[in-house]
Amino acid sequence: MPCSSHFSVSLNMSTYAIGDLQGCRPSLNQLLEKIDQETPQARLIFVGDLVNRGPQSLETLRTVRNLGNRAVCLLGNHDLHLLAVSQGIRKAHGSDTLDDILQAPDRDDWIDWVRNRPLAHLENDHLMVHAGVLPQWTVEQTMSLAHEVETVLRGPDWADFLREMYGNQPARWDDSLTGSDRLRCIVNALTRIRYCTSDGAMELTNKEAFGPHLEGFVPWFDLPERRTADATIVFGHWSTLGLVLRPNLIGLDTGCVWGGKLTALRLEDRAILQVNCPQYQRPGS
């Protein structure tokens, strides 16, 4: 299947992880040109939020899908929002730019393609997700839990799951969670998390970069007991952080839709490629 999470890997191929696209197809095209000039036919991993708020959500999907097995496309919160709106489960927001998909004659094919994307991808000690992981999870558990949600989204009852997906509870992971509570907690961690309390419960309302005014909250990746610290986590979602480069952490949402940059990072050597982006939305909209 195009843009799948399973394919053979050539040892001579380079792989780029790419930040949130959010329907900004012109910027995507520019970045792909840069990548192809630097490393022709490189593999590409998009860390979620392919659509929404930028001007060309459908054409962005078309571009990444046409990359075929060169690409892995993770699900982000905006991609899940598209699925929910498509089923009448959520109302469109004023800043949404999803109509080109929702009104397309082949919309059902696009919706099916989106809901078959993975929520996590593991490769060469890099664990890639849209937003983050909970401190209690190991790398292997993260992949297993992501697969639980993927199985439901790809199954016949996927719309029923979306009706139960939204909400901020439970905020804390427990291996004994079952049903909708379990799946909701997994989705919130993988696609929405930014902060946790010091004891590991998700705080899902604040989008700001961290600072002294956020006393009591800790970025999910700074919790000292995080069990994925032995892998490098690659994520997007948090544009107010900008580019994050640590030995075991790579943050790639550099605010393309807000007039920032679209960023690609080559996993083998951390080489950075970026393009400047037009401002399609004002922060806070």
Side-chain angles (χ1 to χ4, degrees), residues 37-58:
Q37 290 170 3
E38 184 79 16
T39 316
Q41 291 301 304
R43 295 179 54 252
L44 308 166
I45 301 171
F46 297 92
V47 297
D49 278 2
L50 304 176
V51 301
N52 207 18
R53 290 184 171 163
Q56 292 183 295
S57 290
L58 177 58

Side-chain angles (χ1 to χ4, degrees), residues 237-257:
H237 185 58
W238 201 345
S239 61
T240 54
L241 288 184
L243 183 64
V244 178
L245 295 175
R246 299 185 187 178
N248 65 347
L249 193 75
I250 298 170
L252 292 175
D253 186 356
T254 46
C256 179
V257 77

Side-chain angles (χ1 to χ4, degrees), residues 19-38:
D20 302 33
L21 301 178
Q22 293 203 246
C24 298
R25 185 194 179 218
S27 301
L28 171 61
N29 286 345
Q30 292 176 38
L31 186 63
L32 291 177
E33 288 178 10
K34 276 195 168 188
I35 291 172
D36 285 343
Q37 290 170 3
E38 184 79 16

Side-chain angles (χ1 to χ4, degrees), residues 60-269:
T60 299
L61 288 185
R62 197 182 309 279
T63 297
V64 297
R65 187 174 182 176
N66 285 341
L67 291 166
N69 283 343
R70 285 183 64 189
V72 174
C73 308
L74 302 183
L75 283 173
N77 55 298
H78 281 280
D79 310 311
L80 292 172
H81 177 63
L82 165 65
L83 297 180
V85 172
S86 77
Q87 302 305 297
I89 294 165
R90 298 272 283 184
K91 292 183 178 180
H93 300 145
S95 58
D96 284 354
T97 57
L98 301 171
D99 285 351
D100 53 352
I101 301 172
L102 298 172
Q103 296 173 7
D106 55 350
R107 60 163 266 165
D108 290 346
D109 178 59
W110 287 109
I111 296 302
D112 284 346
W113 184 83
V114 170
R115 70 183 178 93
N116 276 276
R117 299 310 95 209
L119 280 156
H121 179 75
L122 178 62
E123 187 170 317
N124 297 330
D125 295 322
H126 289 80
L127 175 61
M128 287 160 257
V129 296
H130 176 61
V133 298
L134 287 173
Q136 302 95 330
W137 296 350
T138 65
V139 171
E140 293 76 15
Q141 187 177 13
T142 300
M143 292 301 298
S144 176
L145 295 173
H147 183 66
E148 288 185 30
V149 179
E150 292 161 10
T151 300
V152 175
L153 283 173
R154 295 168 184 177
D157 300 324
W158 64 279
D160 292 336
F161 161 64
L162 291 176
R163 292 186 180 92
E164 303 293 330
M165 184 178 70
Y166 288 95
N168 294 345
Q169 299 296 325
R172 189 188 311 276
W173 178 254
D174 188 312
D175 287 337
S176 67
L177 287 171
T178 60
S180 297
D181 282 350
R182 181 180 180 90
L183 297 176
R184 186 184 310 113
C185 191
I186 297 167
V187 168
N188 283 343
L190 294 176
T191 69
R192 294 181 59 204
I193 194 173
R194 293 184 178 94
Y195 289 102
C196 289
T197 60
S198 59
D199 59 353
M202 286 184 282
E203 197 290 320
L204 294 168
T205 61
N206 203 300
K207 300 181 180 181
E208 299 178 53
F210 49 90
H213 60 295
L214 291 170
E215 186 176 353
F217 299 135
V218 183
W220 62 266
F221 45 79
D222 280 340
L223 286 168
E225 70 274 20
R226 178 166 62 87
R227 298 180 69 194
T228 49
D230 56 340
T232 298
I233 309 293
V234 183
F235 68 103
H237 185 58
W238 201 345
S239 61
T240 54
L241 288 184
L243 183 64
V244 178
L245 295 175
R246 299 185 187 178
N248 65 347
L249 193 75
I250 298 170
L252 292 175
D253 186 356
T254 46
C256 179
V257 77
W258 312 115
K261 298 179 184 294
L262 183 61
T263 299
L265 178 142
R266 191 163 58 204
L267 297 182
E268 289 77 13
D269 60 0

